[in-house]
Amino acid sequence: MALSLRVASVATLASLPAGILVAYALARWQFPGKQVVNGLVHLPLILPPVVTGYLLLLSMGRKGWIGYYLDEWFGIVFAFRWTGAVLAAAIMAFPLMVRAIRLSIEAVDPRLEEAGATLGASPAWVFLTVTLPLTLPGIIAGAILAFAKAMGEFGATITFVSNIPGQTQTLPSAVYAFLQVPGGETSAARLVVVAIAVAMSALMLSEFVARRVAARVGGG
Amino acid sequence: MLSVALRHRFPGFQLDATFTVPHGVTVLFGRSGSGKSTIVKAVAGLLKPDEGRITLDTDVLLDTGRGIALAPHRRRLGTVFQEGRLFPHLTVRQNLAYGRWFAPRGSRAEREDHVVEMLGIGHLLDRRPGLLSGGEKQRVAIGRALLCAPRLILADEPLAALDEARKAEILPYFERLRDEVSVPILYVSHSASEVARLATTVVALENGGVVRQGPPEAVLGDPSVTPLGSREAGALIAATVVRHHDDGLTELSAGGTPLFLPHLAQLPGQPVRVRIAAHDVILSRQRPEGLSALNILAGTVAEIREGGGPGAMVAIDTPAGRVLARITQRSVGALGLAPGAAVHAVIKTVSVSPADIGR
């Protein structure tokens, strides 16, 4: 359970900067291959999670074409570790996060960014002082969505890092494991209650934060 | 001084304009579609023209020939947009402080308290822009541009989105800006009364080209320069307030000739500039008798320009200054008007609107 929270939190926070960058690029930049990037980002949403997990295993596993070198050169191993569960959850949640942030970036009036530039702010400062604060509600919504998706991620996780109690056994895999053995229903039910509690509090927190931020940004 | 030379081609429209912006308020004057907004965007750096060179004093902001195009944030021009464009997530105080933050250290900026006092926005400082009225927003936008230590202020039709009452509320602030702040202002407008009230220099634009640049009296008094069409033409007369009469009239002196207008707020001795719409002027060969109009100026015809329709624009030089009259070509013939002919220009007192009186 604690592992699940940790996996989901790390997955969300670690992918947030990349999510903002990709969302900004998709919303505002014109570059060759934009549709390809867009497709790649959304692929995990469309592919069966098991396929995504298998692809991760092929590429990021110890003998995978990226994982091998990560292990050789940096000693970083994802397969069958909790970090692997983070990676799987992050990739599965990424499209949801990017979609939410991209929508809110597209809603920011570019004329306000122009105004920032005429007042002496460089593009980076315009992004930090105008675009980012105005996008905050979308970023929060995207992060909460990604967190929820990461908490519930099952298919890619179990394929990529298996279901090792204490190491890679996230909440959904634990529920699944309990349901596979006779008499495990009680334990499973306990976890289900916990899952509902976590999900509800995350939802309420996001509502609260989003409302606070919207009130600040909108100004009535 | 700002020097601008631009060439830019749009589908179906060609901009080719060259002008300078000396100190004071230079009004870029023309109807919508004449290229005003393109020029402002190019000066601000928000649009890259096909060809052009823009210099501010000794700094080159743009020189397409040498491949120089300074980014907007390096130009240090304060811009006031038509729609205000205040940052909705910041308070008024933070909006005002935004530009100062990025201004180079040691640059000369107006003091914030002076600007806040001048624009009368002290009571708004802790509010957010979403709760301000249109006029209040525009005052904050002026202050924000002023406080970024600009070398020039660009005002892109700052009053066009406001109703008449709000316009009347904001115009005096621009007049104070002109009189109290040393930063030159490039002010874009399609309103002749804004020219009358604010301009120290006018750049008249027609179909993407500059047709004339000069002092407003000379530009607006030229019958061939009608950026808004002859319907909107009108000359400017410079005058001094002499005294306020008990019956609500204000007596002015223009070149020694008395002029009577509806009551003005200015004190005796103060200079004013009055815009006299060409369609409000009646011409007469003899000095008319028994007429209700109070202002009758004797003068001579300087120039006549016949338009495409039945109208003609007649420029009359009077001791009070140049006056334009829009009359029919039939009347030109009936009166036998020609350059050098003596005429009297008749101006009704009440036809002069307070919005057309400036300085």
Side-chain angles (χ1 to χ4, degrees):
Chain A
M1 178 58 221
L3 177 77
S4 243
L5 276 178
R6 185 167 65 172
V7 166
S9 313
V10 174
T12 305
L13 292 177
S15 58
L16 199 54
I20 295 172
L21 181 74
V22 171
Y24 189 81
L26 289 176
R28 286 290 159 82
W29 294 345
Q30 294 299 329
F31 54 93
K34 184 170 166 173
Q35 283 316 311
V36 177
V37 173
N38 193 28
L40 275 178
V41 166
H42 283 90
L43 208 55
L45 203 60
I46 312 152
L47 278 180
V50 178
V51 173
T52 307
Y54 181 59
L55 288 175
L56 274 175
L57 196 58
L58 283 185
S59 57
M60 305 298 281
R62 272 205 145 134
K63 298 277 176 264
W65 49 278
I66 300 175
Y68 178 77
Y69 295 104
L70 280 179
D71 188 13
E72 282 283 294
W73 296 348
F74 308 108
I76 299 172
V77 178
F78 282 109
F80 307 110
R81 303 276 174 83
W82 76 273
T83 48
V86 168
L87 184 66
I91 285 190
M92 291 303 292
F94 202 60
L96 294 174
M97 179 189 279
V98 168
R99 276 186 90 83
I101 299 176
R102 177 184 176 173
L103 280 177
S104 70
I105 288 178
E106 281 170 349
V108 173
D109 189 346
R111 294 178 307 175
L112 290 177
E113 296 169 328
E114 282 183 0
T118 62
L119 290 165
S122 65
W125 277 116
V126 167
F127 178 75
L128 284 177
T129 57
V130 180
T131 320
L132 206 55
L134 290 175
T135 315
L136 210 53
I139 292 176
I140 291 169
I144 300 282
L145 217 58
F147 180 81
K149 175 72 190 168
M151 278 294 286
E153 166 45 35
F154 175 67
T157 310
I158 204 161
T159 315
F160 183 35
V161 294
S162 185
N163 189 357
I164 309 164
Q167 277 192 58
T168 65
Q169 190 175 60
T170 58
L171 191 133
S173 3
V175 173
Y176 177 74
F178 280 128
L179 291 178
Q180 295 303 302
V181 291
E185 282 89 346
T186 343
S187 311
R190 264 214 317 272
L191 285 180
V192 167
V193 171
V194 172
I196 291 173
V198 170
M200 281 301 281
S201 22
L203 203 64
M204 272 150 61
L205 181 73
S206 82
E207 282 285 315
F208 175 71
V209 174
R211 212 169 296 167
R212 282 282 300 271
V213 171
R216 258 194 54 149
V217 172
Chain B
M1 185 166 81
L2 180 80
S3 304
V4 180
L6 293 173
R7 222 196 271 273
H8 193 69
R9 188 184 286 279
F10 291 104
F13 180 70
Q14 167 98 38
L15 177 75
D16 189 346
T18 303
F19 62 93
T20 56
V21 179
H23 264 271
V25 177
T26 301
V27 177
L28 202 54
F29 181 49
R31 65 170 83 198
S32 33
S34 60
K36 304 184 305 271
S37 296
T38 309
I39 293 176
V40 166
K41 277 191 192 144
V43 173
L46 301 173
L47 174 144
K48 194 157 181 267
D50 297 339
E51 279 173 64
R53 189 178 147 84
I54 302 173
T55 57
L56 181 55
D57 300 326
T58 55
D59 275 9
V60 178
L61 304 185
L62 175 87
D63 191 337
T64 48
R66 282 161 55 199
I68 300 173
L70 228 54
H73 68 278
R74 296 192 196 283
R75 298 195 178 196
R76 291 193 37 231
L77 311 174
T79 308
V80 182
F81 297 96
Q82 185 177 330
E83 337 82 54
R85 303 197 192 181
L86 299 180
F87 301 124
H89 57 296
L90 301 179
T91 62
V92 167
R93 192 191 301 276
Q94 289 165 328
N95 266 285
L96 289 174
Y98 190 90
R100 153 148 324 167
W101 218 64
F102 298 103
R105 220 166 282 177
S107 56
R108 260 188 44 215
E110 291 296 314
R111 289 168 47 89
E112 186 179 327
D113 49 1
H114 175 230
V115 170
V116 166
E117 181 272 324
M118 186 171 78
L119 296 168
I121 50 180
H123 59 296
L124 306 173
L125 287 177
D126 294 318
R127 296 212 208 147
R128 278 178 201 284
L131 298 169
L132 304 185
S133 74
E136 288 169 339
K137 275 183 193 157
Q138 226 35 341
R139 270 144 69 191
V140 175
I142 296 169
R144 185 178 69 170
L146 204 53
L147 286 169
C148 75
R151 299 183 289 179
L152 178 100
I153 288 184
L154 284 170
D156 186 6
E157 305 217 29
L159 306 185
L162 304 174
D163 58 39
E164 288 306 319
R166 295 287 92 70
K167 279 180 195 171
E169 171 196 327
I170 303 291
L171 262 172
Y173 294 108
F174 271 105
E175 287 173 323
R176 286 192 72 176
L177 208 62
R178 175 193 62 195
D179 300 337
E180 294 179 22
V181 175
S182 60
V183 186
I185 300 171
L186 177 58
Y187 186 105
V188 172
S189 174
H190 62 251
S191 149
S193 29
E194 287 170 34
V195 173
R197 297 222 13 200
L198 294 175
T200 45
T201 307
V202 179
V203 176
L205 271 184
E206 262 176 74
N207 300 321
V210 174
V211 286
R212 187 147 181 204
Q213 162 162 19
E217 288 85 354
V219 175
L220 294 192
D222 184 340
S224 64
V225 178
T226 49
L228 305 184
S230 45
R231 224 168 255 288
E232 301 280 326
L236 280 186
I237 285 182
T240 315
V241 175
V242 175
R243 83 184 86 127
H244 301 296
H245 290 269
D246 292 340
D247 57 358
L249 294 183
T250 296
E251 182 182 342
L252 309 178
S253 166
T257 309
L259 272 181
F260 294 93
L261 293 186
H263 183 79
L264 301 183
Q266 281 84 351
L267 297 173
Q270 282 190 323
V272 292
R273 202 157 59 185
V274 182
R275 179 173 166 274
I276 308 216
H279 58 68
D280 284 334
V281 177
I282 297 173
L283 295 184
S284 165
R285 286 304 294 260
Q286 283 82 39
R287 186 170 185 88
E289 297 286 332
L291 203 63
S292 66
L294 292 175
N295 304 302
I296 300 175
L297 303 173
T300 51
V301 174
E303 196 180 341
I304 300 174
R305 271 191 87 89
E306 301 192 341
M313 193 67 74
V314 182
I316 305 109
D317 282 326
T318 75
R322 172 68 69 93
V323 174
L324 284 186
R326 184 171 134 84
I327 59 175
T328 58
Q329 292 173 18
R330 180 181 296 190
S331 302
V332 172
L335 294 178
L337 295 181
V343 284
H344 292 85
V346 180
I347 303 153
K348 282 185 73 173
T349 293
V350 292
S351 68
V352 179
S353 130
D356 289 345
I357 297 164
R359 185 152 304 181

